[in-house]
Amino acid sequence: MTGHTPKHEPSVQQDTLIMFGDSITQGAFDQGGTGAALANLYVRAWDVQNRGLGGYNTKWAIPIGKKWLPQVGEDRPRTALMTIWFGANDAVLPGYGQHVPLPDFKTNLHTLITLLRSPTSPYYSPTTSLLLLTPPPVDTARWAAELRSKYPPPPSPTGEEQPLEFDRDPENTRLYAQAVKEVGWEAGVPTVDVWTAIMAKAAEIGEEGLKELLVDGLHLSALGYMVVTDVVKDTIVTHLPDLHWDKVPKHYPPWGEMLNACLGDE
Amino acid sequence: MTGHTPKHEPSVQQDTLIMFGDSITQGAFDQGGTGAALANLYVRAWDVQNRGLGGYNTKWAIPIGKKWLPQVGEDRPRTALMTIWFGANDAVLPGYGQHVPLPDFKTNLHTLITLLRSPTSPYYSPTTSLLLLTPPPVDTARWAAELRSKYPPPPSPTGEEQPLEFDRDPENTRLYAQAVKEVGWEAGVPTVDVWTAIMAKAAEIGEEGLKELLVDGLHLSALGYMVVTDVVKDTIVTHLPDLHWDKVPKHYPPWGEMLNACLGDE
C-alpha cells in the first residue's frame, strides 16, 4: 500500500513521569500526595503513571518493573522522569519476609538504574531523568500498634497480653535511607533525602512531630507528603533544572490563540 | 527475520481514564481535586490522563481532541473511561470570544461522543465508557471582581470607577448544564449533574455556601471538587457498575504472592 498517505498523524502521546516504588508511592495520589502535586505541576506536559506497589521491596520490584518499562523500539510515550522510591519494606528486620539485606538493597537499586542507563538494556532510555528518594523515618512503636490492630494475635491461653511485634527499627531504616544516598552518589543520580526532610520537619513541629507526618508510623500523612513534594521540587530546581515545571513545554495552544485562529477563519 | 522469537513480551500498558475538559478539568489534580481522587481510587488499574484545557470551549476542544485521541489500529493504552466536562466557557455570554451558542454546544458534545461511538470514526472505541459532566454554577459577581483584579481597566479620564464587566450569567450557565443532561439522555451517556450537586451543597452550607465551593466564582475549591468526586462515584456505582473501583482488576500480584513465589524459589 505504498504511495498512500495515511489519513491521520499518529495520536500525540504526552511524556510521562513514572513513579516507581512501594506503598508510599502507591498512596501518592491521596489527599496532599506528592503524585497528585506533581501531576498538577506538570499538567499539559507529562502524564504521571503511578507504579507504586504496596508491600514490595526492591527484589520483587525488579521483575515487575521489567513488565511495564517501555522497551527500545516500542511505540510508547517517552519517560521524561522516573522516581525510584524504595526502602521502607527492604528495611524490615531480618526474619520477616520483606527483608532485603542492605548490600542487596544497594545492588537492586543499581540494577533498576542500569535498566534505563545501560545501552545494552532492552529498557535503555538515555533521555529519561532519574530521581532516587530515600525512605522516610519509621515510628516503630506506632507501626507495631497498627500491625497489632490489623492482625490481632490469637488469644493467649493464659490470658496474658502478648508483647507488640517490632518488624522495623528506626536506626535500621536510617541505614537504608543512607544507602539510597550512596547509590545516588555512585550512579550519579540526584537523590531526594526524604528521611532527613521528615526528621527536620518533625523536630520543627516539636516532641510529637513524627505523629503528624506519618499516619500509622510508616506511611506519610498529607503533611508528610507535602514535605516530600517540597524537597522533590528543590531537587528538580537544583539538579534537573531543565525539568523545572515552568520550563517543560506544555501541550496545545492557550485559548487566546485558538480564539485568534478561529477569528482568522471568519 | 521471521522465525525469531522476540526476546521480550511487549511492555504492559495500563488502561487509561482520560479527563477531557476545560480549566476545571485542568485543575483537577490540585488539592482535593477530582482527578487526584480518581487516580487514587483506580491506582494499579488505570492511569489518569488529564486533558483539561484552560479557557477552552467545545468548538476549540474538538480539533485538539483529534490530536491525542487514540486511533483505531494504534498501539495505545485502551481508554477505559473518558469524562467530558465542558460548558463553563461555552456559556460565556454572546459577544465574548469563548461563547458558543447553546445549540452549537449541544452539537459539539454530540460530535465528541460520536468520535468514540461511530464505527466509521478513526477514534472508534467501543470498549470506552463515557461520562458527561455538567458545568458547575457560576457566581458572576465574584468572577467579575476576579477578572477586574486580573485585568484592571485603564484609568478613566474622569476618575470614575468603571462598572464590573459580567461575561457570564448564572441562569445562562444553568441552561448549558441542562443542555449537557439533554445530550447525555439523547446519546445514552450517563451524566454527572455537577451543577445541581454544587447548588445543593451550597444550600446545605447556608447563605454564603457558593463562596466555599468556588474559589473565584468560576473554579471549584477543594470542597467543591470533593462534592464532584462524590457524584462521579455515585454515577459510576449506578450507571457503570462494572467500572466500580473495587471491581476493576488491579495490576501485579499483592506482595504476599511475591513472597510465596520467592520462597518457592529457595
Side-chain angles (χ1 to χ4, degrees):
Chain A
M1 301 289 283
T2 46
H4 284 254
T5 355
K7 262 166 107 179
H8 297 273
E9 293 289 315
S11 63
V12 172
Q13 304 196 79
Q14 289 190 194
D15 290 351
T16 60
L17 189 173
I18 301 183
M19 299 183 72
F20 193 20
D22 50 37
S23 56
I24 301 172
T25 292
Q26 190 176 322
F29 283 130
D30 208 347
Q31 283 280 5
T34 301
L38 293 173
N40 192 42
L41 277 177
Y42 288 98
V43 73
R44 279 170 89 157
W46 298 345
D47 290 323
V48 175
Q49 296 185 339
N50 189 319
R51 296 292 176 268
L53 299 160
Y56 273 58
N57 56 29
T58 50
K59 177 180 170 184
W60 303 329
I62 292 169
I64 300 295
K66 288 179 175 175
K67 291 189 191 291
W68 51 254
L69 273 169
Q71 294 162 34
V72 176
E74 280 189 319
D75 180 16
R76 292 285 182 272
R78 188 180 74 92
T79 311
L81 176 64
M82 185 164 98
T83 60
I84 301 174
W85 192 7
F86 287 97
N89 301 316
D90 298 69
V92 158
L93 295 170
Y96 292 94
Q98 288 155 298
H99 171 73
V100 170
L102 195 58
D104 298 0
F105 175 58
K106 286 188 67 177
T107 303
N108 292 344
L109 288 177
H110 276 295
T111 300
L112 284 173
I113 293 165
T114 304
L115 289 179
L116 286 97
R117 284 283 172 270
S118 163
T120 59
S121 162
Y123 314 96
Y124 180 51
S125 183
T127 68
T128 298
S129 296
L130 297 174
L131 210 49
L132 282 165
L133 285 85
T134 78
V138 62
D139 178 344
T140 14
R142 250 181 109 202
W143 177 242
E146 171 81 12
L147 284 179
R148 168 61 51 94
S149 78
K150 264 190 179 166
Y151 312 104
S156 125
T158 60
E160 272 180 288
E161 204 177 324
Q162 301 197 29
L164 289 178
E165 204 167 351
F166 290 85
D167 68 347
R168 285 170 174 83
D169 170 82
E171 171 59 12
N172 193 54
T173 292
R174 190 190 66 78
L175 294 175
Y176 280 69
Q178 180 59 34
V180 176
K181 292 196 282 182
E182 289 165 17
V183 169
W185 187 83
E186 290 157 10
V189 171
T191 304
V192 180
D193 190 349
V194 170
W195 196 92
T196 300
I198 295 287
M199 289 300 270
K201 183 71 179 181
E204 188 192 311
I205 294 172
E207 216 176 314
E208 298 283 287
L210 218 43
K211 279 221 169 86
E212 292 186 29
L213 297 161
L214 302 171
V215 282
D216 54 10
L218 180 65
H219 298 96
L220 293 164
S221 66
L223 183 63
Y225 275 118
M226 282 182 229
V227 171
V228 174
T229 302
D230 283 343
V231 275
V232 168
K233 288 167 70 177
D234 289 347
T235 308
I236 289 172
V237 167
T238 308
H239 295 287
L240 304 168
D242 293 346
L243 299 189
H244 190 293
W245 45 97
D246 287 337
K247 282 196 193 158
V248 174
K250 304 269 177 186
H251 285 273
Y252 314 117
W255 71 267
E257 288 182 26
M258 296 300 287
L259 173 63
N260 290 334
C262 288
L263 291 176
D265 291 348
E266 279 158 22
Chain B
M1 298 290 281
T2 47
H4 286 254
T5 354
K7 264 165 106 176
H8 297 272
E9 295 287 316
S11 62
V12 172
Q13 305 196 80
Q14 290 188 194
D15 290 351
T16 60
L17 188 174
I18 302 182
M19 297 181 71
F20 194 19
D22 50 36
S23 56
I24 301 173
T25 291
Q26 189 175 323
F29 282 129
D30 208 348
Q31 284 280 5
T34 301
L38 294 173
N40 192 41
L41 277 178
Y42 288 98
V43 73
R44 278 171 90 158
W46 296 345
D47 290 322
V48 175
Q49 297 184 339
N50 189 320
R51 296 292 176 269
L53 300 160
Y56 273 58
N57 57 30
T58 49
K59 177 180 169 185
W60 303 328
I62 292 168
I64 299 294
K66 287 179 175 175
K67 292 190 189 292
W68 51 254
L69 273 170
Q71 294 161 34
V72 175
E74 280 189 318
D75 180 14
R76 292 287 183 273
R78 188 179 74 91
T79 311
L81 177 63
M82 185 163 99
T83 59
I84 300 174
W85 192 4
F86 286 97
N89 301 316
D90 297 69
V92 158
L93 296 171
Y96 292 94
Q98 290 156 296
H99 171 74
V100 171
L102 195 58
D104 297 1
F105 174 60
K106 286 188 67 177
T107 303
N108 292 344
L109 288 177
H110 276 295
T111 300
L112 284 172
I113 293 165
T114 305
L115 289 178
L116 285 98
R117 284 284 170 271
S118 162
T120 59
S121 163
Y123 314 96
Y124 179 52
S125 183
T127 69
T128 298
S129 294
L130 297 174
L131 209 50
L132 282 165
L133 285 85
T134 78
V138 63
D139 177 344
T140 14
R142 250 181 110 203
W143 177 242
E146 170 81 11
L147 283 179
R148 167 60 52 95
S149 77
K150 266 191 176 164
Y151 313 103
S156 124
T158 59
E160 273 179 289
E161 205 176 325
Q162 301 196 30
L164 289 177
E165 205 169 351
F166 291 84
D167 69 347
R168 286 169 172 83
D169 170 82
E171 170 59 12
N172 193 52
T173 292
R174 190 188 69 78
L175 294 177
Y176 281 69
Q178 180 60 34
V180 176
K181 292 196 282 181
E182 289 166 13
V183 170
W185 188 83
E186 290 157 9
V189 172
T191 303
V192 180
D193 189 350
V194 171
W195 195 93
T196 299
I198 295 286
M199 288 300 270
K201 183 72 179 180
E204 189 191 311
I205 295 172
E207 213 176 315
E208 298 283 284
L210 218 43
K211 278 220 169 83
E212 293 187 30
L213 298 161
L214 302 171
V215 284
D216 54 10
L218 180 65
H219 298 97
L220 293 164
S221 66
L223 183 64
Y225 275 118
M226 283 184 232
V227 171
V228 174
T229 302
D230 283 342
V231 275
V232 168
K233 287 167 71 176
D234 290 348
T235 308
I236 290 173
V237 167
T238 308
H239 295 285
L240 304 168
D242 293 346
L243 300 190
H244 190 292
W245 45 98
D246 288 337
K247 282 198 193 156
V248 174
K250 303 270 178 188
H251 285 274
Y252 314 117
W255 72 267
E257 287 182 25
M258 296 300 286
L259 173 62
N260 290 334
C262 288
L263 290 176
D265 291 346
E266 281 159 21

